Amino acid sequence: MRLSAYFLPLLKENPSEAQIVSHRLMLRAGMVRQSAAGIYSWLPLGLRVLKKVEAIVRREQDAAGAQEVLMPTLQPAELWRESGRYDDYGKEMLRIRDRHERDMLYGPTNEELITDIFRNSVKSYRDLPKTLYHIQWKFRDEVRPRFGVMRGREFLMKDAYSFDIDAKAAKQSYYKMFLAYLRTFAGMGLKAIPMRADTGPIGGDLSHEFIILAETGESAVFCDKLWLNVDVSSFDVGYDQDLEPFFNQYTKLYAATDEKHDAVASGLGEDQLVATRGIEVGHIFYFGTKYSKPMNAVVVGPDGASVPVEMGSYGIGVSRLVGAIIEASHDEKGIIWPEAVAPFKVGLVNLRASDPKCAAACDDLYAKLQAAGVEVLYDDRDESAGAKFATMDLIGLPWQLVIGPRGLANNMAEVKNRKSGERVEIALDAAVKRLTA
């Protein structure tokens, strides 16, 4: 994509309404624009990142055996009355009445609706287990929405729901999602640590939050220093194995949010306990028959008796993750995207757009990189070098490929790594190989 044609409305100054780094940078980098309090339009650059995050989430859900569905944003109130949550959920739920005077709501979550789908479709234990998920917009009417996409009223969420015949099978489904979440966040270049958590309005008795460590995080967290060296890619386990030993091994490592932290119970000395801040990006719950019993989601078991299914739910804040990644990966110049979620891999910078030789060299590199499957944002604007470098540093693409008259005279280009800041001079014919390696 040529930057001269791209819709990228940058801001030079920090917006006064933005209180945290990710909100400031997302507005300045032209990723989002607020349409109402806590509600955002996603512009081309931001949407590319959102889609990258969504694809990684979807890939690991599919690998874990979950099956994708798509439920509506609006739900009938009677389902929530069946579960008992319609009146209990509070003012965060946006309640609506349609033209026929039927009570509706904009879904803050989907336990009731997915349970209704299941109970009308599955009747025998032979059809279990099942895990269904979707990636859909949710709405929670926060009293004071703030921090941009980190705590908006409308947000994109992946929520999955498992159905099993008994508690043992249900916990295996929970362990699958525990592993899937670790792999999902690692696939985005993030270190996410599972911490025991309260179940809140979802309910249940087994729950973990997944926390990204970030100095600008919203809450204090504490963990065993060993967590910092956990390499998710080294986990030699598969989703079809008994995952209880794996789960037990990694939940023995201490990790707690401020509300749950007990220094004595941790058993860790000051040299082994990491105290920092973190951001919640995922939450998983096992809640047994909390919804299946009141909603009569039953199957016929092996003995011929009807039993309520055991359930769990598993959420990832997809849009929230975009902000969380920025909070965990930025500097004073702007965003530093992990390559897996970057909107473009390479920013191609033509330092002198009016120079025919520079333009020809950049056009050639642009075509070759695109042909090699590399996503490139080509800054072909007639702007100063300083403005172009500031733009590239602000939007945080992993690599910058810089072409100028001086280097071009020696058939050389400059390659800069955004994260490390390392700059190297490289021959033009080697630049494509370097950036496609």
Side-chain angles (χ1 to χ4, degrees), residues 134-182:
H134 76 159
I135 299 174
Q136 179 62 289
W137 293 94
K138 302 283 193 293
F139 190 91
R140 294 176 189 169
D141 201 2
E142 297 276 355
V143 62
R144 283 184 296 275
R146 52 184 180 160
F147 304 152
V149 301
M150 292 283 289
R151 186 166 294 176
R153 291 194 294 166
E154 185 182 56
F155 53 95
L156 187 62
M157 183 176 178
K158 186 283 303 180
D159 39 324
Y161 304 91
S162 59
F163 301 87
D164 289 274
I165 187 61
D166 55 32
K168 181 179 180 180
K171 288 182 178 179
Q172 172 70 1
S173 294
Y174 185 93
Y175 304 151
K176 281 186 179 182
M177 283 296 149
F178 184 90
L179 174 59
Y181 275 39
L182 289 173

Side-chain angles (χ1 to χ4, degrees), residues 14 81 107 111-112 129 137 157 163 203 205 233 257 263 278 288 294 321 408:
N14 285 325
R81 291 191 173 109
E111 282 79 7
E112 283 80 2
W137 293 94
M157 183 176 178
F163 301 87
D205 56 8
S233 66
T257 58
L321 259 169
L408 193 58

